[in-house]
Amino acid sequence: MSAVPPPSRAPQDPSASPAADADLRTERLVLRPWSDGDLAAVLDGTRRPHWAPDFPAEGDRVIAGFTAKTPAARGVHGQRQILERDGGLVVGAIGLFWPPAEGSVTFGYGIVPSRRGRGYASEAARALVAFALTAPGVHTVCADIERGNPASGRVLEKAGLERWRSDATHVYFRLTAPTGA
């Protein structure tokens, strides 16, 4: 298994949000730490003009609540929104559940239904996995899916993760960086 090259970092733009230097950019997406305004809007049910029509989904509301209550989720290695580079619409969320345990960190993601089928989940997952493997003390990135969601399994495989175990309800995936990488 080979490591995925790290995503490019966005240059800091002084006119952008304070977290602009923490953005991860892919060919079509920006993975941006949640802003205070977006967290508050999701939690109080206010619509924002830069959201896809079906954002936030239920999972986004759960992650916004978790992020608002968990200081580690607000850091550079925490939770992020997924934005389309063209137009800047928020189309989902992705993030690491920080801090790592014994060198392993878990992540999760979701794309709103209107933007599924475009490869966004795989593109975002590849970028976040590559970024996670550059974090101090992290050598393994993990994710799990419900057994009834094979599409998410394909996303994780496209991001370089391999299925390593399962139980009655979940399938578990992971990617461990090669030693000496």
Side-chain angles (χ1 to χ4, degrees):
M1 174 178 348
S2 63
V4 181
S8 64
R9 291 283 203 142
Q12 187 163 359
D13 175 358
S15 67
S17 70
D21 62 332
D23 287 357
L24 300 177
R25 293 185 182 269
T26 69
E27 181 181 340
R28 301 176 300 157
L29 304 171
V30 176
L31 311 180
R32 176 168 292 153
W34 284 77
S35 70
D36 292 339
D38 277 348
L39 279 174
V42 168
L43 295 174
D44 70 18
T46 303
R47 289 268 334 132
R48 302 205 69 190
H50 63 279
W51 292 352
D54 49 349
F55 183 87
E58 180 56 32
D60 301 311
R61 287 187 279 279
V62 170
I63 287 300
F66 168 80
T67 302
K69 291 187 270 184
T70 309
R74 299 296 309 273
V76 69
H77 294 105
Q79 299 296 311
R80 298 165 178 269
Q81 290 182 314
I82 302 170
L83 292 78
E84 293 175 325
R85 285 182 77 167
D86 291 340
L89 285 182
V90 177
V91 299
I94 191 166
L96 301 170
F97 293 98
W98 201 259
E102 299 177 14
S104 180
V105 67
T106 301
F107 80 102
Y109 61 89
I111 301 291
V112 295
S114 68
R115 295 308 199 269
R116 291 181 187 157
R118 300 176 187 207
Y120 287 175
S122 298
E123 187 173 329
R126 277 191 303 273
L128 192 70
V129 166
F131 174 70
L133 289 173
T134 68
V138 173
H139 55 72
T140 301
V141 181
C142 302
D144 63 87
I145 63 166
E146 293 178 355
R147 278 189 164 285
N149 190 356
S152 265
R154 289 189 295 277
V155 165
L156 295 174
E157 288 169 346
K158 288 177 184 177
L161 284 78
E162 295 179 343
R163 179 183 172 151
W164 67 285
R165 71 180 178 94
S166 61
D167 59 29
T169 59
H170 288 85
V171 180
Y172 300 86
F173 291 79
R174 69 180 175 191
L175 172 65
T176 298
T179 55

